[in-house]
Amino acid sequence: MLKQAQRAYNFNAGPSALPLAVLEKAQKELIDFKGTGMSVMELSHRSAAYEQVHNQAIASLKELMNIPEEYHVLFLQGGASTQFAMVPMNFLPQGKKAGYVVTGAWSEKALKEAKMFGDTYTIASTKETNHNRIPKLDELAYEANTAYVHVTSNNTIFGTEWFTFPDTGDLPLIADMSSDILSHQIDASKFAMIYAGAQKNLGPSGVTVAIVRPDMLERANENVPTMLRYDTHVKNNSLYNTPPTFGIYMLGLVLEWAKEQGGLASIEKMNREKAALIYDVIDQSEGFYKGHAEKDSRSLMNITFRLASEELEKEFLAQAKQAGFVGLNGHRSVGGCRASTYNAVPYETCKALSEFMINFQKNNA
Ligand SMILES: Cc1ncc(COP(=O)(O)O)c(C=O)c1O
C-alpha cells in the first residue's frame, strides 16, 4: 500500500488532497460495501444501506460544525456556482435588495448571478487593492430593505479569509464557505445559510453542501423550478432525485476522519501550524517572497505569494515541479504562486515546501 511519503506534495486549489486514510478505506470497501456485494456506487439510493451513509454524513457534519439541530443540511449538485443563482432565486424577493461583500472573483460571480434575479448592491469591495484584504467590520453598511447579506468566507484565488464575521442582526447572513468549510471553528448559528462545493475540505467534486436555517424557507420565493428550490430538497432529505451517492459516501468518510483528528478545534490548530510554516518563510525572507494578502487577512487555506520577477517565479515553479510539488501556480489574476493547504494536506508536506522555499532563496538571492 502507498505510504504518505510516496504521495505527491499536493497543493492543488481544488479538487485537492484527500486524507490517505479515507482513500484507503474507500479502496477497501470499493467492491463490497459492508457485505452488500457491491460498491456504494451500485447501491440504490432508496436502499437502507445507502440511506444509512446519507444520514450519517448529515449527522457528522452537524456534530463537527456544531450546527443547530433545527437547521437543514442538504446535498445538492451543480457546484457552488449553482448556489450563486439559487440563493437569489429563492431568497431575493421583488422590492428588496441583496447586499454583497465583494472580496474576490467568486464573490463577483455570485453578485453577477444575483443581478439576474433582482436588485443588488455592493456592501463593500476590496477590488481597488486587488482583493488583498478583508474589509473591516466598520466598513460594512447595509441599506434599508436588504433581503440578505452575502459574504465569501475564504477567497481561494487571492488568499484572504474572514475570521470575524459581521453581526447582521435580523438580516440573514449567507456565506459561500467553499474553500474553508471545516477548517476552523465558526458559530454556525450566526448564519442563515452556508454553502460549499465539496472539492476542497469535504471530499470529491460533485456534491455541494447547503446548510439552511428553517425560517429562510418560509420567506422563499414562489415560482422557482422544482430542482432549484431549497424546500424540495428539505422535504425529501436531498433524495428528491438521485443524489451523487459516491461523493456523499466519500464526504461521510472525510467527516469521520475529521472527527478522528479531534474535530474542528484540533484541525484549526493544525491548519494554523501548517500555514505558519510557509508564512514564516515569506516574512523572514526580507522581501524575496512577497505575500499578496495583508497580514491580518491571510488565509489559512490558500497562501498567495510573489517573487521579484516573473522569470524568477517561473524558475521557482519549474524547480518546485521537479522536486515533486504539485499545484503551486498562482491564479492568473494574482500571478506568482499559491499553496493551498487544506485540511488533508499533511504537516510534512507544508514543512517540505517551507524547506524548499528557504533553499531556493539561498540559491537565488
Ligand atoms: C470560494 C469559491 N466559491 C465558489 C467556487 C466554485 O465552485 P464550483 O466549482 O463547485 O462551482 C469556488 C471554486 O474554486 C470557490 O473557491
Side-chain angles (χ1 to χ4, degrees):
M1 205 165 275
L2 209 61
K3 295 200 180 63
Q4 187 65 55
Q6 294 165 279
R7 301 251 301 151
Y9 291 141
N10 184 353
F11 289 99
N12 279 336
S16 43
L18 286 166
L20 179 58
V22 165
L23 296 171
E24 285 174 344
K25 178 112 197 260
Q27 184 181 43
K28 230 164 130 188
E29 293 182 330
L30 189 67
I31 55 173
D32 182 14
F33 176 68
K34 297 196 170 160
T36 55
M38 59 185 94
S39 72
V40 172
M41 282 179 277
E42 299 163 287
L43 291 173
S44 162
H45 62 295
R46 307 283 174 209
S47 65
Y50 174 70
E51 254 185 83
Q52 158 77 21
V53 168
H54 189 96
N55 292 335
Q56 183 56 51
I58 294 170
S60 294
L61 192 66
K62 279 194 156 175
E63 180 188 330
L64 273 164
M65 289 181 68
N66 204 13
I67 298 168
E69 192 42 46
E70 66 277 14
Y71 278 45
H72 304 290
V73 171
L74 306 176
F75 298 136
L76 308 175
Q77 299 188 60
S81 301
T82 300
Q83 294 308 301
F84 295 165
M86 264 176 83
V87 165
M89 276 174 129
N90 284 269
F91 301 137
L92 175 53
Q94 280 205 337
K96 288 209 166 195
K97 289 178 176 180
Y100 281 71
V101 184
V102 177
T103 49
W106 296 111
S107 1
E108 271 168 14
K109 286 190 174 163
L111 172 58
K112 179 170 167 256
E113 294 300 290
K115 283 182 178 163
M116 294 191 209
F117 297 100
D119 291 335
T120 62
Y121 67 99
T122 299
I123 295 169
S125 169
T126 52
K127 198 180 171 101
E128 215 170 90
T129 54
N130 201 20
H131 302 302
N132 67 343
R133 65 186 190 93
I134 296 297
K136 301 271 177 292
L137 295 185
D138 62 12
E139 292 174 57
L140 310 177
Y142 311 112
E143 294 185 9
N145 250 347
T146 296
Y148 61 81
V149 171
H150 182 282
V151 298
T152 312
S153 59
N154 183 70
N155 299 284
T156 326
I157 293 173
F158 295 92
T160 62
E161 188 171 9
W162 294 76
F163 291 101
T164 310
F165 290 96
D167 185 351
T168 54
D170 288 341
L171 296 180
L173 178 61
I174 299 183
D176 171 3
M177 292 197 182
S178 292
S179 51
D180 71 343
I181 192 165
L182 227 59
S183 65
H184 63 96
Q185 290 179 295
I186 56 153
D187 179 357
S189 71
K190 270 191 149 188
F191 296 87
M193 184 182 164
I194 293 168
Y195 64 88
Q199 63 272 19
K200 293 133 183 357
N201 274 337
L202 293 176
S205 59
V207 192
T208 309
V209 168
I211 300 163
V212 186
R213 202 174 63 199
D215 65 280
M216 293 302 285
L217 300 173
E218 286 152 31
R219 61 176 92 189
N221 292 329
E222 295 298 324
N223 294 327
V224 175
T226 309
M227 275 299 286
L228 301 175
R229 303 172 65 90
Y230 292 107
D231 70 351
T232 299
H233 302 288
V234 166
K235 282 181 195 145
N236 293 281
N237 190 28
S238 304
L239 286 156
Y240 173 77
N241 73 327
T242 319
T245 52
F246 194 73
I248 293 167
Y249 158 73
M250 290 296 291
L251 185 148
L253 293 184
V254 170
L255 298 175
E256 292 305 320
W257 171 84
K259 285 194 254 177
E260 283 159 20
Q261 304 309 299
L264 295 200
S266 311
I267 287 178
E268 174 170 353
K269 186 169 170 280
M270 286 188 273
N271 284 333
R272 287 191 181 281
E273 288 169 5
K274 281 154 47 184
L277 285 170
I278 299 163
Y279 283 127
D280 285 351
V281 173
I282 293 172
D283 291 342
Q284 288 158 20
S285 73
E286 295 177 341
F288 184 82
Y289 299 108
K290 291 186 204 69
H292 176 72
E294 285 186 0
K295 281 192 183 170
D296 60 0
S297 299
R298 281 175 164 175
S299 168
L300 295 180
M301 299 281 97
N302 309 98
I303 301 172
T304 47
F305 58 95
R306 306 227 45 178
L307 282 81
S309 66
E310 282 189 20
E311 287 83 79
L312 199 57
E313 284 169 353
K314 260 195 196 151
E315 187 54 31
F316 176 86
L317 290 168
Q319 288 191 25
K321 193 173 168 194
Q322 202 69 39
F325 295 95
V326 178
L328 288 175
N329 289 60
H331 188 275
R332 62 189 175 282
S333 46
V334 182
C337 311
R338 168 175 58 175
S340 297
T341 53
Y342 298 123
N343 289 356
V345 176
Y347 181 88
E348 292 69 32
T349 302
C350 298
K351 181 89 184 138
L353 177 61
S354 70
E355 285 165 2
F356 173 83
M357 288 172 72
I358 291 168
N359 282 332
F360 184 84
Q361 180 175 1
K362 265 188 205 144
N363 298 334
N364 293 276

